[in-house]
């Protein structure tokens, strides 16, 4: 493919798809014309993959997820198709700024954080490996809210990614299903007939997901909700315009907006409807596709593997049983076994507040037939294990974790530590009954986006050093290890990191009016705000360090830039106060002439995938400081290590495996282990004892209390202070000294620039295991029983 052909196609789309003449084309027009020209080149491999799957009568994987945090797609597609040079040349020849064209694409923010980003990395790896499959989710009209700061406080605004045409999708008006809610159930022989009281249409929108080198493409099928009847014409004719449009508005509400929190169970009826809406539409589509080729539904598990990304699609269990039993007359026991052999479930959290439960009464009202079937499923389980106390329905609630476990043939945790905790805590009783069901598949990230796309400088160096095979076989990064002893390689590695830091500093400068010294250590904590992730531990340490610098200005401080990024759920008051505190502390510290040569705090608003792609390649230090036992895996931690940042972290989630892979000597470990945290909490005075034992922590809390960071307002942070001093469930105080001391070891290590860079290079060389290709191969072998098609 050469630039001339691509250019001709861009001009053709500009004229015939966008109706614009080059002389009047805006940045949007150019971007859309390039998008369509690139998309054209995805279609052929996409069709070929579909045909090959049909021809082989292959099993398919269906990944059901409420969230797909995919970000921008254009640059990724250009890389995967090998069109980078052609696209650059075509843009130059049209006098367009290629970087600006790429940056014009809005992020598709159809997810909150790690869980949704994992789903996006999995789509990329499935296409790269030739694992035939579909991602299924919701086409939210509004993705995750846009964040800005007003006087340091988070302000949320509706995100509007569909205001412009979405260039990647294909609308499928013919692929539409009516999805019902409510109504009644009547007996119909051995089965039952559900007559819903209301209904909406689920309409499909397909986005092809192209794999590395364009060898395979799968489909991300997102469902949009539409009214069954568009409009009440009688009401309109009587002048009731709002009433006339009411039907439509009510139906569209279902796919209107992403719930901005995946760490608490909202228990809202609309959320239940969203979950059923996309799950039911996806199952109808899956069964339709199966029945187009096969007649006996008992063979469904040999042709379809359905993965539930957390419990959000857990209603797939009873819905699939309903389709098999009520609609296709399969005996109930057999329907349950068939559904179980088809379904499997990924657990993402042990936080009790995040484990979904639905009030039985609500479930019975919204999904009356499903409530009956949930009881049948529970009865079946109870008769198989009469001594077991496990219940799906308990205390008036339907527990979706138990339902998913019982309806899945495999249940996986997302890191080794987390999978062990799944066995010993939330699902201990179920694990005893089904000892082979829980397995581990440690998460991963796609190297196409998180190295090749995000870090072109380091990628070029790696390719020059070990050739290009690493992009689809990331373990080959190990071949870099011998080069760590080579001064030439190490100088080039350091140059790439420095250039990334200069670029980030420039971006800080023109976007946020605050450039920073590229020779300072870039210390980065970017992730959703949650008390368990402990951004407040980081800012307390920042305050303590600042105090120390003022007291000892001649101590030879290592210059640092503390970089934060992340959003808090709009209803999570404590997380929002932590954001406010960080911004307040930044204002004071950044204005201090004594310390400004050593310490800066930067917090750009609206962290998203595109911002992660800028920050991670420039990071020196990766903050992974959650309370041990609380972060199921983390994937941000993997992106950083891959890009040559050293981790300061606890033994939590995949940090454990990162440390094993990169070597304990290349990882800054601090804090209590998961069992130590549990033991610590047995002392109700753990926080008071820790504060008493740490003059530094005590002083930092005192500065906040005195209003040093809040213009003398000594009340502003009362809630945070009270929480830390009285409860501190997340053991910030008990881990503080260990963290502070570890940070001083980090300071010392950074002063030996050559040694630091060697450790950084070893992190890159030893992070190949964290490719999501490895994760997907694990699912294919251990859960889905499917072989790659390429
Ligand atoms: C990778 C990623 C996450 C997950 O980060 P963690 O540190 O693992 O919580 C969240 N949001 C975005 C935008 C990401 O790219």
């Amino acid at each position: 493919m050469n630039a001339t052909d691509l250019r001709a196609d861009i001009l053709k789309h500009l004229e015939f798809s966008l109706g614009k003449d080059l002389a009047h084309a805006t940045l949007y027009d150019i971007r859309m014309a390039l998008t369509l020209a690139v998309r054209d080149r995805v279609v052929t491999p996409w069709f070929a993959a579909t045909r090959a799957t049909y021809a082989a009568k292959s099993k398919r994987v269906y990944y059901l997820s409420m969230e797909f945090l995919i970000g921008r797609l254009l640059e990724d597609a250009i890389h995967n198709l090998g069109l980078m040079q052609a696209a650059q040349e075509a843009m130059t020849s049209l006098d367009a700024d290629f970087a600006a064209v790429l940056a014009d694409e809005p992020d598709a923010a159809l997810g909150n954080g790690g869980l949704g980003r994992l789903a996006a990395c999995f789509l990329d790896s499935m296409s790269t490996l030739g694992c035939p499959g579909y991602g299924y989710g919701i086409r939210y009209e509004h993705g995750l809210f846009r964040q800005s700061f007003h006087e340091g406080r988070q302000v949320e605004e509706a995100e509007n990614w569909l205001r412009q045409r979405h260039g990647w999708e294909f609308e499928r008006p013919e692929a539409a299903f009516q999805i019902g809610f409510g109504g009644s159930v009547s007996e119909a022989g051995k089965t039952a007939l559900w007559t819903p009281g209301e209904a909406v249409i689920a309409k499909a929108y397909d986005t092809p997901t192209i794999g590395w080198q364009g060898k395979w493409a799968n489909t991300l099928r997102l469902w949009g909700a539409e009214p069954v009847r568009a409009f009440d014409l009688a009401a309109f004719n009587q002048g009731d315009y709002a009433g006339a449009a009411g039907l439509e508005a009510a139906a569209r509400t279902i796919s209107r907006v992403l719930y901005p929190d995946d760490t608490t169970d909202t228990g809202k009826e609309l959320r239940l409807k969203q979950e059923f809406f996309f799950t039911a539409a996806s199952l109808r589509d899956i069964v339709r596709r199966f029945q187009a080729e096969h007649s006996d539904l008992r063979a469904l598990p040999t042709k379809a593997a359905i993965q539930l990304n957390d419990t959000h699609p857990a209603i797939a269990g009873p819905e699939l049983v309903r389709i098999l039993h009520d609609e296709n007359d399969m005996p109930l026991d057999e329907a349950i076994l068939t559904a179980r052999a088809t379904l499997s479930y990924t657990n993402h959290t042990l936080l009790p507040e995040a484990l979904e439960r639905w009030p039985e009464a609500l479930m019975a009202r919204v999904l009356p037939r499903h409530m009956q079937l949930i009881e049948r499923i529970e009865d079946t389980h109870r008769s198989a294990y009469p001594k077991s106390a496990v219940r799906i329905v308990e205390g008036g609630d339907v527990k979706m974790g138990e339902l998913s476990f019982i309806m899945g043939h495999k249940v996986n945790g997302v890191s080794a530590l987390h999978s062990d905790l799944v066995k010993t805590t939330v699902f201990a009783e179920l694990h005893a009954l089904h000892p082979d069901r829980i397995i581990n598949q440690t998460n991963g990230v796609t190297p196409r986006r998180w190295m090749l796309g995000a870090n072109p400088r380091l990628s070029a160096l790696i390719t020059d050093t070990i050739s290009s095979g690493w992009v689809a076989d990331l373990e080959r990064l190990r071949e870099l290890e011998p080069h760590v002893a080579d001064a030439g390689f190490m100088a080039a590695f350091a140059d790439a990191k420095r250039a990334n830091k200069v670029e980030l500093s420039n971006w800080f400068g023109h976007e946020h009016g605050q450039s920073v010294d590229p020779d300072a250590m870039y210390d980065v904590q970017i992730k959703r705000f949650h008390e368990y992730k402990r951004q407040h531990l980081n800012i307390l340490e920042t305050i303590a360090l600042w105090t120390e610098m003022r007291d000892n200005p001649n101590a030879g401080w290592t210059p640092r830039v503390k970089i934060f990024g992340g959003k808090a759920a709009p209803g999570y008051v404590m997380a929002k106060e932590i954001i406010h505190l960080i911004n307040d502390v930044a204002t004071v510290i950044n204005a201090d002439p004594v310390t400004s040569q050593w310490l800066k705090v930067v917090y750009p608003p609206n962290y998203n995938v595109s911002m992660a792609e800028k920050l991670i390649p420039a990071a020196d230090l990766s903050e992974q400081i959650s309370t041990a036992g609380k972060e199921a895996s983390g994937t941000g931690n993997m992106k950083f290590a891959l890009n040559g940042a050293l981790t300061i972290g606890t033994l939590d989630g995949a940090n454990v495996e990162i440390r094993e892979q990169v070597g304990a000597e290349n990882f800054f470990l601090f804090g209590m282990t998961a069992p130590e945290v549990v033991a610590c909490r047995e002392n109700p005075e753990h926080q008071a004892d820790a504060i008493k034992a740490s003059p530094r922590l005590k002083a930092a809390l005192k500065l906040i209390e005195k209003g040093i960071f809040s213009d003398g307002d000594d009340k502003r942070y009362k809630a945070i202070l009270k929480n830390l001093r009285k409860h501190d469930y997340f053991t910030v105080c008990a881990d503080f000294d260990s963290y502070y001391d570890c940070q001083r070891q980090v300071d010392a290590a950074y002063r030996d620039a050559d040694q630091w860079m060697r450790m950084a290079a070893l992190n890159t060389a030893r992070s190949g295991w964290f490719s999501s290709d490895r994760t997907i191969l694990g699912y294919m072998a251990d859960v889905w029983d499917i072989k790659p098609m390429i």
Side-chain angles (χ1 to χ4, degrees):
M1 170 54 47
N2 62 41
T4 321
D5 292 344
L6 188 62
R7 181 192 145 96
D9 286 356
I10 293 167
L11 289 172
K12 186 193 75 186
H13 277 297
L14 200 54
E15 186 174 350
F16 296 106
S17 306
L18 291 143
K20 273 289 175 85
D21 144 18
L22 182 59
H24 298 108
T26 62
L27 186 61
Y28 164 81
D29 296 323
I30 300 280
R31 194 232 325 150
M32 197 56 70
L34 175 61
T35 299
L36 295 173
V38 172
R39 193 183 72 169
D40 288 349
R41 288 157 174 80
V42 172
V43 170
T44 306
W46 189 31
F47 285 3
T50 306
R51 277 189 220 106
T53 307
Y54 271 98
K57 293 196 185 304
S58 171
K59 190 170 184 177
R60 295 178 182 87
V61 172
Y62 298 108
Y63 197 81
L64 269 58
S65 179
M66 276 290 264
E67 305 193 1
F68 286 93
L69 187 51
I70 49 189
R72 292 178 179 142
L73 298 180
L74 179 54
E75 185 182 0
D76 214 42
I78 288 172
H79 269 301
N80 279 325
L81 291 167
L83 291 174
M84 192 41 86
Q85 210 185 330
Q88 258 157 358
E89 285 174 27
M91 287 293 107
T92 308
S93 80
L94 295 171
D95 243 350
D97 174 349
F98 187 39
V101 168
L102 295 177
D104 185 58
E105 183 179 2
D107 266 51
L110 309 183
N112 274 289
L115 176 147
R117 184 55 233 172
L118 183 76
C121 284
F122 280 6
L123 290 178
D124 183 276
S125 286
M126 284 169 62
S127 292
T128 290
L129 292 164
C131 171
Y134 286 72
Y136 276 114
I138 298 177
R139 183 179 182 269
Y140 299 106
E141 212 176 305
H142 304 287
L144 186 61
F145 66 86
R146 236 197 339 257
Q147 177 196 54
S148 59
F149 297 134
H150 179 68
E151 294 177 350
R153 288 187 182 82
Q154 170 174 295
V155 177
E156 302 101 27
E157 250 183 286
E159 182 281 340
N160 205 0
W161 72 301
L162 290 176
R163 186 177 39 204
Q164 295 175 340
R165 173 176 171 188
H166 176 29
W168 294 101
E169 72 182 3
F170 293 91
E171 192 174 345
R172 305 290 192 207
E174 80 286 4
F177 297 103
Q178 191 161 319
I179 305 299
F181 302 100
S184 58
V185 181
S186 55
E187 294 301 314
K190 277 191 180 163
T191 62
L193 184 68
W194 172 35
T195 313
E198 50 177 308
V200 298
I201 301 289
K203 184 161 95 183
Y205 293 82
D206 288 348
T207 298
T209 64
I210 186 81
W212 178 235
Q213 295 182 328
K215 290 179 191 159
W216 191 265
N218 287 321
T219 303
L220 172 60
R221 175 160 279 193
L222 300 178
W223 302 102
E226 293 190 2
V228 176
R229 247 179 342 123
F231 199 71
D232 187 343
L233 191 59
F236 185 87
N237 287 337
Q238 284 164 18
D240 179 9
Y241 305 127
L247 277 178
E248 171 160 16
R252 291 193 195 280
T253 299
I254 291 187
S255 57
R256 182 93 65 203
V257 46
L258 168 78
Y259 272 84
D261 196 356
D262 61 2
T263 53
T264 40
D265 171 18
T266 53
K268 293 252 175 33
E269 179 170 334
L270 177 61
R271 171 89 178 185
L272 178 60
K273 285 184 164 177
Q274 286 187 332
E275 294 182 354
F276 181 68
F277 165 78
F278 98 93
T279 303
S282 306
L283 287 179
R284 294 273 283 279
D285 206 30
I286 293 165
V287 170
R288 173 195 60 75
R289 194 170 295 116
F290 175 85
Q291 288 184 320
E293 293 181 275
H294 314 280
S295 51
D296 186 351
L297 276 166
R298 285 174 299 186
L300 184 66
T302 66
K303 296 295 171 188
I306 300 175
Q307 189 70 33
L308 310 180
N309 194 26
D310 214 312
T311 57
H312 314 143
I315 199 69
E319 172 65 2
L320 187 50
V321 171
R322 192 189 67 77
I323 293 171
L324 298 174
H325 178 59
D326 289 358
E327 294 187 355
N328 291 278
D329 297 318
M330 192 185 284
L332 184 67
D333 286 352
E334 199 171 7
I336 292 175
L337 288 175
T338 305
R340 178 178 303 140
T342 310
L343 299 168
S344 41
Y345 154 58
T346 304
N347 174 282
H348 283 270
T349 181
L350 306 164
L351 297 175
E353 64 272 28
L355 296 174
E356 285 190 300
R357 298 165 162 255
W358 294 104
E360 211 182 324
L362 175 67
M363 182 70 83
R365 178 157 52 79
V366 177
L367 298 169
R369 179 56 182 155
H370 299 78
M371 190 60 232
Q372 292 178 347
L373 287 169
I374 288 166
E375 283 163 358
R376 297 290 85 78
I377 291 165
E378 172 155 290
D379 291 345
T380 310
H381 193 259
R382 276 165 75 168
S383 27
Y385 304 95
K387 292 207 199 86
S388 165
V390 172
R391 297 290 178 269
I392 300 172
V393 185
E394 195 169 54
D397 282 340
V398 183
K399 298 187 290 178
M400 303 310 266
E402 277 72 7
L403 177 63
S404 303
F405 191 111
I406 287 171
M407 286 309 298
H409 66 285
K410 283 285 182 274
V411 174
N412 75 283
V414 289
S415 72
L417 174 69
H418 172 247
S419 295
D420 285 342
L421 291 170
V422 169
K423 288 180 187 167
T424 54
T425 63
V426 272
F427 292 133
E429 286 174 287
L430 278 165
H431 175 57
L433 301 180
H434 309 279
D436 299 330
R437 198 165 292 183
I438 300 177
I439 60 168
N440 177 57
Q441 298 296 343
T442 299
N443 284 167
V445 299
T446 168
R448 272 72 64 187
R449 180 176 295 262
W450 295 110
M451 177 60 86
L452 190 68
N455 200 341
R457 295 185 181 92
L458 184 52
S459 297
L461 173 62
I462 295 169
T463 297
D464 285 350
T465 311
I466 62 170
S467 88
S468 62
W470 60 273
V471 177
D473 183 6
L474 202 61
E475 298 259 26
R476 287 186 55 184
L477 292 181
R478 288 266 174 186
E479 294 167 24
L480 292 172
E481 271 197 46
H483 298 274
V484 171
D486 168 4
F489 173 80
M490 285 312 303
F493 188 92
D495 283 350
K497 181 62 81 182
R498 192 164 194 294
N500 292 341
K501 292 173 72 173
V502 169
E503 191 176 315
L504 180 63
S505 172
N506 291 339
W507 182 75
F508 283 152
H510 57 73
E511 292 291 312
H512 306 289
Q514 185 186 11
S515 60
V516 288
D517 175 8
D519 289 321
M521 182 201 311
Y522 285 11
D523 167 347
V524 186
Q525 186 172 21
I526 47 175
K527 47 184 75 249
R528 283 302 288 260
F529 269 72
H530 200 289
E531 286 164 282
Y532 85 75
K533 292 178 183 272
R534 300 201 294 192
Q535 283 91 353
H536 46 341
L537 175 58
N538 189 346
I539 201 67
L540 282 170
E541 190 270 339
T542 308
I543 294 170
L545 174 61
W546 175 62
T547 309
E548 222 32 71
M549 286 172 168
R550 290 175 60 92
D551 292 350
N552 294 300
N554 300 317
W557 294 103
T558 303
R560 261 197 211 236
V561 183
K562 286 266 188 185
I563 300 167
F564 291 86
K567 298 174 184 178
Y572 191 169
V573 175
M574 189 60 76
K576 291 173 95 169
E577 294 197 357
I578 295 170
I579 288 178
H580 192 186
L581 175 62
I582 292 171
N583 281 320
D584 273 355
V585 169
T587 304
V588 170
I589 290 184
N590 293 342
D592 185 340
V594 180
T595 58
S596 71
Q597 49 188 320
W598 309 304
L599 187 61
K600 283 272 158 63
V601 182
V602 189
Y603 184 178
N606 203 38
Y607 174 59
N608 59 12
V609 172
S610 295
M611 193 190 289
E613 290 168 9
K614 284 192 184 62
L615 296 184
I616 291 168
D620 294 304
L621 187 67
S622 160
E623 297 270 355
Q624 308 299 336
I625 60 177
S626 51
T627 312
K630 294 295 175 191
E631 185 73 87
S633 164
T635 49
N637 48 2
M638 301 169 185
K639 301 167 197 166
F640 279 104
L642 178 62
N643 281 275
L646 304 191
T647 304
I648 181 166
T650 48
L651 279 181
D652 200 16
N655 292 354
V656 177
E657 288 150 272
I658 291 176
R659 183 164 170 268
E660 277 165 19
Q661 291 284 327
V662 305
E665 67 285 8
N666 302 307
F667 185 108
F668 296 97
L669 179 68
F670 77 95
M672 293 180 285
T673 61
E676 285 168 355
V677 168
V678 173
C680 170
R681 286 202 196 103
E682 277 169 19
N683 167 16
E685 297 293 309
H686 64 85
Q687 67 312 103
D689 291 353
I691 295 169
K692 221 177 292 163
S694 173
R696 268 196 195 93
L697 173 59
K698 194 174 187 166
L701 295 171
K702 202 83 205 160
L703 289 182
I704 298 172
E705 185 170 39
K706 285 200 298 196
I708 297 300
F709 308 105
S710 45
D711 289 325
D713 177 355
D714 55 1
K715 303 281 187 302
R716 190 175 295 171
Y717 293 110
K718 253 173 78 175
I720 294 182
L721 293 169
K722 182 170 172 206
N723 188 294
L724 288 174
R725 285 171 173 156
K726 300 287 178 220
H727 310 286
D728 194 22
Y729 179 76
F730 296 103
T731 59
V732 168
C733 298
D735 270 344
F736 180 85
D737 275 351
S738 169
Y739 179 57
Y740 185 91
D741 293 343
C742 190
Q743 287 285 24
R744 303 295 73 78
Q745 291 169 33
V746 171
D747 280 341
Y750 192 78
R751 285 195 289 272
D752 185 346
D754 291 345
Q755 178 57 16
W756 180 279
M757 273 305 148
R758 277 193 292 276
M759 294 195 289
L762 286 173
N763 266 262
T764 297
R766 296 173 179 176
S767 289
W769 193 71
F770 298 101
S771 168
S772 46
D773 299 345
R774 185 266 311 149
T775 314
I776 287 297
L777 286 169
Y779 278 89
M780 291 171 77
D782 303 343
V783 185
W784 301 335
D785 188 25
I786 188 171
K787 296 269 174 316
M789 294 277 291
I790 50 178

